[in-house]
Amino acid sequence: MPTLLEQAAKMTAQAAGKIESAMLKMPEEKLTWKPEQGARTILHQIAECACINKMAAGMLATQQMPADFREQLDASFAHNDTRDKTIASLKEGTALLTAAILAFPAEKLDSEIALPWGSHTLADMVFMPYWNMSYHEGQINYIQTLYEE
């Protein structure tokens, strides 16, 4: 039976694979399409996931949120402007995160970390990137249904 950390790493890697597959179903020229003015593109959503994965890896190592959280997100959005760049960034972030999850000491999972939206345990943080990618997979699949011809 896998440990909680092994399961979290497995689920995280699977979720990254699913959003990559969802992205690959859209033609390159449609990755920046959005259904309405305030909506987000597929590239933007996956760039967020890539950045969150990298930041979560760092947060598990330092047990604190980076002060430049917003700047890291903005840099990820600016850099990840093609399918290839975004997939590479997602793979890099996911590899860092799964390694950080597997290296995390299980006895610290109950420790708390302060986030802008409240305090959470590090066990929550181990699974947060997974649920973030799962959420965005749903959004990406929905965008695909709106754009199908």
Side-chain angles (χ1 to χ4, degrees):
M1 174 184 279
T3 66
L4 178 102
L5 293 169
E6 290 167 342
Q7 187 66 26
K10 176 184 170 186
M11 292 170 67
T12 297
Q14 288 173 337
K18 287 179 180 181
I19 61 173
E20 179 183 343
S21 293
M23 176 196 254
L24 291 171
K25 291 176 184 171
M26 287 293 275
E28 177 85 29
E29 67 273 9
K30 307 303 183 205
L31 295 175
T32 56
W33 179 80
K34 49 187 168 178
E36 63 179 40
Q37 185 63 31
R40 295 172 62 198
T41 69
I42 290 173
L43 277 180
H44 195 263
Q45 292 181 58
I46 296 181
E48 175 194 302
C49 292
C51 185
I52 293 292
N53 288 358
K54 289 175 188 174
M55 281 193 285
M59 289 167 66
L60 288 174
T62 64
Q63 298 181 26
Q64 62 183 356
M65 185 163 184
D68 64 346
F69 173 78
R70 174 51 48 196
E71 291 81 6
Q72 287 187 46
L73 275 174
D74 291 342
S76 184
F77 297 145
H79 171 75
N80 293 300
D81 58 356
T82 69
R83 182 192 319 262
D84 290 343
K85 285 182 188 176
T86 306
I87 288 173
S89 187
L90 178 65
K91 286 181 177 185
E92 176 189 1
T94 303
L96 291 169
L97 178 56
T98 56
I101 291 170
L102 292 171
F104 193 77
E107 63 274 6
K108 291 187 175 187
L109 286 170
D110 286 337
S111 300
E112 299 224 347
I113 182 170
L115 303 172
W117 50 88
S119 186
H120 289 272
T121 66
L122 288 164
D124 293 335
M125 291 308 304
V126 163
F127 283 99
M128 186 272 299
Y130 161 76
W131 64 251
N132 185 56
M133 288 187 287
S134 297
Y135 168 80
H136 285 293
E137 178 193 2
Q139 289 190 320
I140 291 163
N141 288 331
Y142 180 65
I143 288 171
Q144 290 170 345
T145 68
L146 296 175
Y147 203 84
E148 287 183 342
E149 299 173 299

